[in-house]
C-alpha cells in the first residue's frame, strides 16, 4: 500500500515505536505516580523520560510540557478554560474543527465573541497586520491560530503574529506542524503550542502535547486522581498533575518518546526538506493534468507536506475510492474536519482530495499517484 494520508495520521510509525509500546505493556505497566513499587517507579520513569524527549524536540521546558490524548483535548482545555462571557477571541478562517467547534460552542453557550480573519485569496492565510488590525478593534482576550492548514498545507507566520500582538496571548494549533517544521517554543513568543503526537511527531494514536509559556496558566478540563495530594478533594496546583488527571496512556506516551528520539536523530530540518521535495514533485506532476486545480495554493508559499486538489467532473470521494481499490493508494477525500477552510478556499461542500507525505514517503510513491491520476483523468 502507498500511504499518502499523513495529514490525518502518520503511517508507518517511526522505527522503535511499536517496540517501546510493547516494552511498556509487557514490562513497565505500573500506574505512574501511584504507590512506590517497582512497576510504578518504572512507569513514572518511562513517562518522564518521554516528556523530556518531547520537550527537547519542541524546545520547551519539560515542566510545562503536558501529555494527553491529542491536540483536540488540549485545544478544548485552553479555549474552554481561558474564555468566558464577554471575552473576544480572534482566529483565522483556516481552522480545523478542533478550534472552530469549541469556539462556536463558547459563542453560543458562554457569550464569547469570535472574530474570524479571512485571509486573502487564494491561500486564505491572514497576514500578521490583518490579525493585529482585528485585535486592535476591541479588547481581545486571546488569539488562536492554526500553524498550518490541514487542507492546503499553507503556513501562518504565527511567531510574527505573536510579536505584533504582544502582550495578547497567542495559542497555536500545531497539529500539522509539530515534528514537521523546525520550531523552538522557548523562542517563539507563543503563549501555548498544541500538537498531535500521532502526526508529525510520528507517535501512536491517542497522544498529544501542549506546551505552556511561563505565566500562561490553565484550569483543567477534567479533574480526578493524580497520585499526588491524595488527602485533598481539590486538584493539586503543580504541573503536570493539575492538567494530567487520571491514569495516563503509558504505552502511547512511551511510543511517543521513541518516535521523538528517532525524529531528533533524523532531525526535523531533514524531514522538512524531504517532505518539501516530495510536495514539489507532486505539484509539478499534478499541475500538468488538465482540469486539476490545487486548492489554496500559490507558487512560493510556505507549506507543509500537505496538498489538496480538485479535478473537474471528478467526485473526490469516488476518485479516492478508485485510487485505493485499483492502485492501493491511500489518501483522503472530503472536508478534512475543516469546513471553514473549505468555505474560504471555495471547495465547500464537496471538499478536496488531500495528499499528505511523511518522512518515510518516497519519490516512487508520488510518481505512482501522479501516474494513477494521469491514467484516470489525464
Ligand atoms: C489542524 C488540526 N488541528 C487539530 C487536529 C486534531 O488533532 P488530534 O487528532 O491530535 O486531536 C487535527 C487532526 O486532524 C488537525 O489537522
Amino acid at each position: 500500500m502507498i500511504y499518502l494520508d499523513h495529514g490525518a495520521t502518520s503511517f508507518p510509525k517511526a522505527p522503535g515505536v511499536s517496540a517501546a509500546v510493547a516494552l511498556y505493556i509487557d514490562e513497565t505497566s505500573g500506574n505512574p505516580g501511584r504507590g512506590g513499587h517497582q512497576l510504578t517507579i518504572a512507569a513514572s520513569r518511562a513517562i518522564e523520560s518521554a516528556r523530556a524527549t518531547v520537550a527537547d524536540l519542541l524546545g520547551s521546558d519539560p515542566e510545562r510540557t503536558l501529555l494527553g490524548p491529542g491536540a483536540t483535548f488540549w485545544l478544548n482545555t485552553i479555549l474552554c478554560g481561558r474564555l468566558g462571557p464577554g471575552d473576544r477571541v480572534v482566529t483565522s478562517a483556516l481552522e480545523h474543527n478542533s478550534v472552530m467547534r469549541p469556539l462556536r460552542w463558547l459563542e453560543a453557550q458562554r457569550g464569547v465573541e469570535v472574530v474570524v480573519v479571512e485571509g486573502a485569496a487564494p491561500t486564505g492565510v491572514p497576514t500578521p497586520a490583518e490579525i493585529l488590525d482585528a485585535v486592535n478593534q476591541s479588547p481581545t482576550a486571546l488569539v488562536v491560530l492554526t500553524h498550518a492548514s490541514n487542507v492546503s498545507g499553507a503556513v501562518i507566520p504565527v511567531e510574527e503574529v505573536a510579536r505584533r500582538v504582544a502582550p495578547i496571548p497567542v495559542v497555536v494549533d500545531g497539529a500539522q506542524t509539530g515534528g514537521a517544521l523546525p520550531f523552538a517554543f522557548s523562542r517563539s513568543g507563543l503563549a501555548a503550542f498544541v500538537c498531535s503526537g500521532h502526526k508529525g511527531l510520528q507517535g501512536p494514536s491517542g497522544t498529544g502535547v501542549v506546551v505552556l509559556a511561563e505565566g500562561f496558566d490553565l484550569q483543567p478540563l477534567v479533574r480526578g486522581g493524580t497520585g499526588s495530594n491524595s488527602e485533598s478533594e481539590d486538584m493539586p496546583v503543580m504541573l503536570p498533575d493539575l492538567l494530567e488527571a487520571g491514569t495516563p496512556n503509558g504505552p502511547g506516551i512511551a511510543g511517543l518518546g521513541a518516535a521523538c528520539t528517532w525524529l531528533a536523530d533524523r532531525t526535523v530540518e531533514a524531514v522538512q526538506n524531504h517532505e518539501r521535495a516530495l510536495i514539489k514533485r507532486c505539484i509539478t506532476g499534478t499541475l500538468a493534468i488538465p482540469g486539476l486545480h490545487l486548492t489554496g495554493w500559490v507558487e512560493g508559499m510556505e507549506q507543509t507536506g500537505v496538498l489538496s486538489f480538485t479535478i473537474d467532473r471528478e467526485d473526490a470521494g469516488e476518485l479516492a475510492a478508485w485510487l485505493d481499490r485499483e492502485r492501493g493508494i491511500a489518501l483522503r477525500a472530503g472536508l478534512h474536519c475543516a469546513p471553514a477552510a473549505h468555505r474560504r478556499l471555495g471547495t465547500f461542500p464537496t471538499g478536496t482530495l488531500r495528499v499528505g507525505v511523511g518522512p518515510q514517503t518516497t519519490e516512487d510513491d508520488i510518481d505512482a499517484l501522479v501516474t494513477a491520476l494521469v491514467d484516470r483523468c489525464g
Side-chain angles (χ1 to χ4, degrees), residues 18-39:
S18 54
V21 171
L23 183 73
Y24 188 95
I25 291 172
D26 293 340
E27 295 182 25
T28 323
S29 271
N31 201 328
R34 279 79 166 169
H37 59 74
Q38 290 171 36
L39 276 189

Side-chain angles (χ1 to χ4, degrees), residues 50-101:
R51 190 190 307 282
T53 310
V54 172
D56 210 33
L57 196 83
L58 296 176
S60 59
D61 173 358
E63 288 184 10
R64 299 189 70 81
T65 301
L66 292 316
L67 305 173
T72 304
F73 175 84
W74 289 121
L75 288 163
N76 274 266
T77 303
I78 295 172
L79 298 174
C80 297
R82 297 281 307 198
L83 297 170
D87 280 341
R88 184 172 188 268
V89 56
V90 169
T91 191
S92 86
L94 296 180
E95 303 305 312
H96 185 274
N97 268 344
S98 55
V99 168
M100 277 305 184
R101 284 183 173 171

Side-chain angles (χ1 to χ4, degrees), residues 167-311:
I168 291 164
V170 176
V171 170
V172 166
D173 170 4
Q176 292 291 328
T177 60
L181 292 192
F183 172 77
F185 182 76
S186 59
R187 293 197 298 273
S188 70
L190 303 180
F193 180 80
V194 172
C195 68
S196 303
H198 63 97
K199 297 185 198 260
L201 290 183
Q202 310 297 317
S205 304
T207 58
V209 186
V210 65
V211 180
L212 301 174
E214 201 64 50
F216 187 75
D217 296 320
L218 295 182
Q219 286 306 309
L221 189 66
V222 276
R223 296 172 174 81
T226 55
S228 54
N229 295 18
S230 286
E231 73 290 351
S232 171
E233 294 179 13
D234 293 321
M235 287 298 285
V237 291
M238 82 267 194
L239 293 176
D241 299 28
L242 172 67
L243 298 172
E244 291 183 357
T247 303
N249 173 7
I253 291 171
L256 178 60
C260 290
T261 300
W262 179 83
L263 256 182
D265 195 38
R266 181 157 175 183
T267 79
V268 174
E269 286 77 6
V271 169
Q272 182 191 34
N273 289 337
H274 175 74
E275 294 183 357
R276 264 189 184 155
L278 292 172
I279 285 295
K280 195 166 172 226
R281 191 177 186 91
C282 191
I283 289 170
T284 307
T286 52
L287 274 182
I289 298 172
L292 185 146
H293 311 280
L294 298 180
T295 304
W297 180 84
V298 72
E299 182 82 55
M301 78 178 189
E302 207 195 327
Q303 186 172 12
T304 60
V306 159
L307 177 73
S308 259
F309 58 86
T310 56
I311 304 183

Side-chain angles (χ1 to χ4, degrees), residues 91-95 116-131 145-158 160-161 295-298 300-304 340-341 344-345:
T91 191
S92 86
L94 296 180
E95 303 305 312
V116 178
V117 179
E118 303 267 338
T123 64
V125 172
T127 63
E130 286 166 337
I131 301 284
L145 293 171
T146 189
H147 199 177
S149 163
N150 70 313
V151 174
S152 66
V155 174
I156 297 182
V158 291
E160 199 189 328
V161 170
T295 304
W297 180 84
V298 72
M301 78 178 189
E302 207 195 327
Q303 186 172 12
T304 60
R344 181 67 199 95
L345 302 175

